[in-house]
Amino acid sequence: MNKKIKVLFVCLGNICRSPSAEAIFRGYVEKKGFGKIFEIDSAGTSGYHQGEPADARMRRHASKRGYKLTSLSRKFEPDTDFDHFDMIVAMDRDNLHDLKQMARSKEDEKKLYLMTDFSTEFDYNYVPDPYYGGDQGFELVIDLLEDASSGLFSHLKP
Ligand code: 4NP
């Protein structure tokens, strides 16, 4: 049996960007018929919203494009997540910086990526935090994540 490809998406609160990345990337790989070979999850560098569902505004915007955000917020756990996942994909540079600080070894650091590294159409070098903004910010998050999900899938060539 083939080993699963395990991908963890990480943002600050795990209620806007990373739960969306989780649902959008899962939708993409399922559409391509590769759902069974991936394990996909998300987490936050903070525990501010631990146990909460995704932000209602994010869920509403995602649902308009056919994505159901079902995950509950959890905090990134260095001692288990660095061992378990093959790729840990941060939404912005602060998230990436915080993850680097938590890395226990060079091997851990090698698992870290920035989601926009996989963008193909958009020229953003991070996924902006939509939490304190309006509708456009949530729409942009989904645009960037849809684009980078296809790029990430191509990068992995499962
Ligand atoms: P996320 O957005 O990191 O995309 O989940 C945020 C959610 C909550 C907060 C900041 C960003 N907050 O400050 O509570």
Side-chain angles (χ1 to χ4, degrees):
M1 196 187 87
N2 283 336
K3 196 176 156 291
K4 287 200 177 194
I5 303 174
K6 304 190 188 90
V7 183
L8 180 70
F9 296 103
V10 177
C11 62
L12 174 64
N14 191 214
I15 55 167
C16 294
R17 294 164 294 173
S18 61
S20 301
E22 178 188 338
I24 291 169
F25 188 63
R26 184 177 292 127
Y28 191 87
V29 303
E30 281 174 0
K31 196 175 73 188
K32 293 281 181 186
F34 285 87
K36 285 205 164 60
I37 73 154
F38 280 93
E39 183 181 323
I40 302 163
D41 193 8
S42 65
T45 55
S46 82
Y48 303 152
H49 296 277
Q50 188 95 21
E52 293 177 20
D55 184 283
R57 298 163 297 171
M58 192 75 251
R59 279 189 277 134
R60 181 164 50 80
H61 284 275
S63 116
K64 281 198 297 179
R65 297 216 211 167
Y67 303 109
K68 198 166 161 54
L69 308 189
T70 53
S71 69
L72 298 179
S73 175
R74 74 168 179 91
K75 193 170 191 292
F76 179 78
E77 296 289 348
D79 285 334
T80 48
D81 288 328
F82 274 121
D83 290 334
H84 187 72
F85 289 95
D86 302 306
M87 292 183 84
I88 298 168
V89 186
M91 296 297 125
D92 66 30
R93 287 186 187 281
D94 288 340
N95 312 146
L96 188 63
H97 174 266
D98 292 344
L99 289 165
K100 275 192 182 149
Q101 295 290 110
M102 289 186 261
R104 305 156 304 171
S105 64
K106 285 275 166 224
E107 290 306 303
D108 286 357
E109 273 193 38
K110 277 194 225 155
K111 295 185 174 184
L112 298 175
Y113 298 84
L114 202 50
M115 187 60 166
T116 47
D117 290 345
F118 304 104
S119 298
T120 63
E121 312 217 332
F122 284 85
D123 193 19
Y124 275 73
N125 53 16
Y126 66 102
V127 181
D129 181 350
Y131 192 69
Y132 293 106
D135 288 344
Q136 274 186 336
F138 290 93
E139 290 294 318
L140 176 63
V141 166
I142 301 171
D143 289 338
L144 293 172
L145 294 176
E146 286 185 331
D147 180 35
S149 287
S150 74
L152 175 57
F153 184 78
S154 306
H155 168 83
L156 290 167
K157 293 191 196 74

